Amino acid sequence: RGTLARHERGESNRRPFLVQSLRLGPMTFTATPLEMMHRIKRRFQAERGAQALLLSVTNGFLGYAPLRELYHATPQPYSVAWVPYMLGWTPFTEKIEDEVLQAVLRVSDAV
């Protein structure tokens, strides 16, 4: 109902999420409230090196950050379609993989 009401008012259904990053010596820990698929973590490490870790499900839970090809699978897997509706919001778009990666790289640059 809340999502539908926002849509009817012309408001965005985008959900902001907190990204945090902490450096301890040579290690960088970056965290989101999403459950990340491994490719997103591997892409992050490819950019930041082996001493950078991307952590999932910290300070909240917004569901899965699925890979883009999962949005074209039939039927759509639970990570794309079922979980968001169970949590009470509309699914992310297939751009979530790249959007999350951009956000965590930007935040990890700041520490």
Side-chain angles (χ1 to χ4, degrees), residues 4-5 12 25 30-32 34 39-40 42 44 47 51-52 56 60-61 64 66 80-81 88 100 103 110-111:
L4 183 58
S12 172
T30 304
T32 74
L34 299 161
R39 184 169 70 208
I40 299 170
R42 287 193 308 269
F44 177 76
E47 293 281 337
Q51 294 187 330
S56 295
F61 181 66
Y64 294 93
V80 172
V100 167
V111 296

Side-chain angles (χ1 to χ4, degrees), residues 37 39 64-81 94 97:
M37 300 291 171
R39 184 169 70 208
Y64 294 93
L67 305 175
R68 76 181 58 76
E69 62 268 13
L70 296 178
Y71 286 84
H72 302 285
T74 46
Q76 286 188 328
Y78 68 94
S79 61
V80 172
E94 66 184 68
E97 177 181 347

Side-chain angles (χ1 to χ4, degrees), residues 28-66:
T28 302
F29 301 91
T30 304
T32 74
L34 299 161
E35 188 162 340
M36 229 72 63
M37 300 291 171
H38 288 293
R39 184 169 70 208
I40 299 170
K41 292 180 177 189
R42 287 193 308 269
R43 288 177 65 191
F44 177 76
Q45 275 196 317
E47 293 281 337
R48 292 293 175 259
Q51 294 187 330
L53 297 175
L54 182 55
L55 309 173
S56 295
V57 192
T58 59
N59 286 341
F61 181 66
L62 293 178
Y64 294 93

